[in-house]
Amino acid sequence: MSCLSVACSAVVVLFGAVCSVFIFCEYLIYYAAILQCGWPEIDHGAPSSERSADGQPEPEVLRAMVLSDTHLLGAVGGHWFDKLRREWQMERAFQTALALLRPEVVFILGDVFDEGKWSSPKNWEDDVCRFQKMFRHSRDTELVVLVGNHDIGFHYEMDWFKLQRFERAFNTTSTRMVTKKGVNFLLVNSVALHGDGCPICQSVEKQLYTLSRNLNCSLLQHYPLYRVSDAGCTGRDAAPPEERHLLFREKYDVLSQEASHRLLQWFKPRLVLSGHTHSGCQVLHDNQYPEISVPSFNWRNRNNPSFILGSFSSSGYGLSKCFLPEESTVIALYCSTGASLLFLLPLVHCLWMRGLLRCLILCPISKHKFL
């Protein structure tokens, strides 16, 4: 085989290798990560496999997927490539999770948008359209979206216009009870729980008060309940060690102690799910009310996004965490591929030039012999 043929074959192999790395990093890596996840067994409360003493059938199990803080960039902040890259990652991760896990309901715990608090009407519509494309789903899956401070602004920025705009876009309300297969989920607009008597706060608190009874529900909201810091949080998705001891500010990083106490006393939830901090944490309030803080789903906020898989029945629940590909892994793959190309391309170029030179030398000789 001539050097020119070897060089051509090497170019084809290198091109195929680059394409393979690209397909893996942009498509297949999400399957590789999410295939390791599975629905948990019910391990809190009565297991669904247990039948009641009077012979009633076992309760149905609802499969719910919970994610938070998608932070779709708007028209003002963020580079166009950053926006394109993050939205592609979230879309691929979400669509892959739907295809492999087939949840019956998906909850997004607020901060859907990064700039909803100041978006113009046109920019808002553009952002909503992009969200609907990224998080499209079949009729077999219900998507439930909660409001966060980046969607309507912090408490001092919140107004009826931004709140109602969000509620119309996602067909939701500030206080809402979702019941599926006998499982109750109480959805709360935690941005309005500052207790300062603002009109929106009064409306939300009034609705909550009318529901205040033991509902055997899971409480879902954007802000975490009050805790001093993340000092007790552990795990691969917890805040970095240097940030865990930073004190949280009430009504900014977490709910106030008063609002947290009211919610726990009014509803006595069997589980609390929240977002906002972008990091994972598990807290037990008053030694009986567990809370899980769900990390951000956006690679812009952390290297290793994740989401929660929950199996719920009327008598118990089980949770597991599904980690998505680490961005550092993808960057390492691309960098190693680039380094390999930088090393191999000169060799291919050398083979190419040697083959071309040989052809130039041999072709006149062959032509002379023929004549």
Side-chain angles (χ1 to χ4, degrees):
M1 182 180 292
S2 68
C3 292
L4 192 59
S5 298
V6 172
C8 290
S9 300
V11 169
V12 171
V13 170
L14 288 178
F15 181 76
V18 171
C19 290
S20 298
V21 170
F22 177 81
I23 291 172
F24 178 76
C25 289
E26 303 305 326
Y27 290 93
L28 301 181
I29 195 170
Y30 300 102
Y31 286 90
I34 296 174
L35 276 171
Q36 301 178 51
C37 307
W39 294 103
E41 296 293 328
I42 291 179
D43 54 9
H44 291 76
S48 61
S49 58
E50 293 183 3
R51 296 178 182 271
S52 59
D54 58 0
Q56 292 295 322
E58 63 185 41
E60 291 185 284
V61 175
L62 174 70
R63 291 181 169 180
M65 175 176 160
V66 185
L67 53 103
S68 185
D69 293 88
T70 53
H71 282 275
L72 274 70
L73 290 174
V76 178
H79 191 271
W80 67 267
F81 181 77
D82 190 20
K83 180 190 298 186
L84 178 68
R85 178 65 182 159
R86 303 313 176 191
E87 292 182 6
W88 170 258
Q89 290 172 316
M90 288 190 286
E91 180 177 353
R92 293 315 319 150
F94 184 76
Q95 295 302 324
T96 303
L98 289 190
L100 295 179
L101 300 171
R102 300 187 180 279
E104 296 166 87
V105 60
V106 178
F107 295 102
I108 301 181
L109 303 181
D111 277 3
V112 176
F113 305 113
D114 197 61
E115 302 175 9
K117 55 188 178 182
W118 59 56
S119 290
S120 67
K122 182 182 183 307
N123 290 337
W124 173 262
E125 293 299 326
D126 292 342
D127 293 345
V128 170
C129 288
R130 292 194 344 265
F131 172 87
Q132 292 173 342
K133 174 185 174 294
M134 292 168 55
F135 294 94
R136 61 190 181 277
H137 54 90
S138 69
R139 293 182 179 180
D140 296 331
T141 300
E142 181 180 358
L143 180 64
V144 180
V145 181
L146 283 72
V147 68
N149 57 287
H150 275 267
D151 302 313
I152 60 173
F154 283 94
H155 178 262
Y156 62 88
E157 300 171 303
M158 176 180 60
D159 58 42
W160 284 110
F161 171 76
K162 286 182 281 190
L163 176 60
Q164 291 171 353
R165 177 173 72 174
F166 183 91
E167 292 178 344
R168 286 194 303 270
F170 297 104
N171 191 28
T172 189
T173 57
S174 288
T175 303
R176 179 183 174 193
M177 181 69 70
V178 173
T179 302
K180 296 180 73 67
K181 292 187 173 180
V183 181
N184 296 322
F185 298 94
L186 177 61
L187 317 181
V188 177
N189 173 8
S190 53
V191 184
L193 294 182
H194 280 217
D196 62 353
C198 77
I200 297 178
C201 299
Q202 289 181 330
S203 174
V204 171
E205 290 176 4
K206 182 178 179 180
Q207 294 174 52
L208 286 174
Y209 184 76
T210 60
L211 291 171
S212 58
R213 61 184 185 275
N214 191 350
L215 298 170
N216 188 31
C217 67
S218 296
L219 175 63
L220 276 62
Q221 58 185 25
H222 181 64
Y223 280 118
L225 297 177
Y226 175 78
R227 61 177 184 262
V228 175
S229 68
D230 272 350
C233 305
T234 58
R236 57 190 285 198
D237 60 350
E242 64 273 14
E243 297 179 8
R244 294 180 194 176
H245 293 274
L246 297 177
L247 298 181
F248 283 147
R249 292 164 290 180
E250 292 186 55
K251 303 180 181 181
Y252 189 87
D253 299 310
V254 293
L255 285 181
S256 67
Q257 296 185 58
E258 180 185 358
S260 301
H261 179 75
R262 281 204 307 269
L263 286 173
L264 293 177
Q265 293 306 307
W266 283 355
F267 300 104
K268 304 186 186 305
R270 62 177 181 175
L271 174 67
V272 180
L273 293 168
S274 60
H276 187 60
T277 64
H278 298 173
S279 299
C281 189
Q282 183 169 349
V283 183
L284 187 64
H285 298 280
D286 299 338
N287 293 318
Q288 58 179 323
Y289 304 115
E291 177 181 11
I292 306 293
S293 289
V294 183
S296 174
F297 193 70
N298 191 330
W299 279 261
R300 194 171 192 257
N301 297 325
R302 56 182 308 109
N303 180 52
N304 59 337
S306 61
F307 57 88
I308 296 290
L309 294 175
S311 298
F312 295 89
S313 74
S314 57
S315 57
Y317 66 89
L319 302 175
S320 67
K321 194 166 289 184
C322 185
F323 285 92
L324 298 172
E326 295 187 0
E327 185 158 57
S328 56
T329 301
V330 175
I331 293 173
L333 284 170
Y334 278 131
C335 288
S336 59
T337 302
S340 300
L341 286 175
L342 289 176
F343 176 75
L344 293 174
L345 281 177
L347 297 179
V348 173
H349 181 262
C350 181
L351 288 172
W352 184 279
M353 294 304 296
R354 286 180 61 186
L356 184 61
L357 182 62
R358 185 176 180 182
C359 287
L360 291 174
I361 293 173
L362 293 179
C363 285
I365 296 175
S366 301
K367 182 178 180 182
H368 176 73
K369 289 182 178 180
F370 177 76
L371 292 173

